[in-house]
Amino acid sequence: VVFIDRYWHELPCAAVLIDNHEIGYQLASRMIGRGFDRLGALWVETDCTSVRDRQAGHLRALKEHDLENDADRLAMLDYLSQSTDVRQEILTAAVAGGSTPPAFICANGFVLEQAMSDALELGLRIPEDIDFAGTDRKVGTASSIPALTAVTAILPQGLLGDTAARIACDAALEGRLPPSSHIILSAELQERESSSLRLRLVRSGQA
């Protein structure tokens, strides 16, 4: 067995991983560098190594920049499973909780889509009132979506699968188990300004 983007702490295993700790750290650090000092995170899965590693990266960035670790904004909560009222309250509380706009780091594109939809339903402007960072996959040589987020981590999903398949096939052909080691792949970081598109998202009817 070769694990992909997950691993077992308790036992040695073959795994091909994305450097989720570094992704979490870089996304948070770059949002801080853009002037956001109130960061939150929105998740789907919460009990897996990739999420725990990414959250550890967020916390490391906050600590290095002497910023508050807000337990509510950084709660390990499945955003998509919450009711509309609860999701919107998360965003509303964050916006109302300070004099500067908050930013949320979204676990994946599905969370990003829902969070942006919730923000627009509340009449919030993106990026003036609230902003987002997240992850995306690469298609060909480019990200599969324009720069909806302030910062996006482009995940090497194709390389992830190819590498894991090569390790498994080599082991099978040689009649042995895959080596109990982890191969760590890096993500690319893209900022909004690197996109040729410029988007300002507002609810229909807003000026």
Side-chain angles (χ1 to χ4, degrees), residues 100-113:
T100 58
F104 281 93
I105 301 172
C106 298
N108 58 34
F110 299 107
V111 178
L112 173 65
E113 179 184 6

Side-chain angles (χ1 to χ4, degrees), residues 1-20 43-54 107-108 155 157 160 164 181-184:
V1 175
V2 180
F3 290 93
I4 297 178
D5 203 31
R6 303 286 190 276
Y7 59 94
W8 288 96
H9 282 290
E10 296 80 7
L11 54 91
C13 60
V16 182
L17 310 169
I18 298 172
D19 193 342
N20 283 292
W43 306 101
V44 184
E45 293 181 89
T46 57
D47 187 22
C48 60
T49 53
S50 59
V51 168
R52 292 195 294 269
D53 290 349
R54 203 175 293 183
N108 58 34
L155 306 181
Q157 290 183 324
L160 193 71
S181 60
H182 294 177
I183 294 178
I184 311 296

Side-chain angles (χ1 to χ4, degrees), residues 128-202:
E128 291 89 345
D129 300 323
I130 190 171
D131 210 352
F132 298 93
T135 62
D136 189 27
R137 63 192 179 93
K138 179 178 283 190
V139 175
T141 59
S143 170
S144 62
I145 60 171
L148 292 172
T149 52
V151 185
T152 304
I154 310 298
L155 306 181
Q157 290 183 324
L159 181 59
L160 193 71
D162 289 346
T163 303
R166 176 175 51 79
I167 292 171
C169 288
D170 286 349
L173 289 172
E174 295 172 13
R176 57 172 174 81
L177 295 175
S180 297
S181 60
H182 294 177
I183 294 178
I184 311 296
L185 304 179
S186 299
E188 299 175 37
L189 276 294
Q190 171 183 297
E191 301 208 17
R192 180 176 282 129
E193 292 74 18
S194 66
S195 173
S196 59
L197 294 178
R198 291 292 179 269
L199 299 177
R200 175 176 177 266
L201 301 184
V202 298

Side-chain angles (χ1 to χ4, degrees), residues 36-106:
F36 293 99
D37 57 6
R38 298 189 304 120
L39 296 183
L42 302 175
W43 306 101
V44 184
E45 293 181 89
T46 57
D47 187 22
C48 60
T49 53
S50 59
V51 168
R52 292 195 294 269
D53 290 349
R54 203 175 293 183
Q55 178 79 321
H58 299 339
L59 298 178
R60 174 186 158 206
L62 291 171
K63 182 177 180 180
E64 285 189 5
H65 290 85
D66 295 319
L67 293 177
E68 177 190 10
N69 172 5
D70 186 282
D72 290 329
R73 290 197 302 271
L74 289 165
M76 300 288 277
L77 183 71
D78 181 348
Y79 186 76
L80 294 184
S81 72
Q82 307 304 309
S83 68
T84 299
D85 288 344
V86 171
R87 294 196 313 269
Q88 292 185 351
E89 176 56 29
I90 291 171
L91 303 184
T92 300
V95 171
S99 58
T100 58
F104 281 93
I105 301 172
C106 298

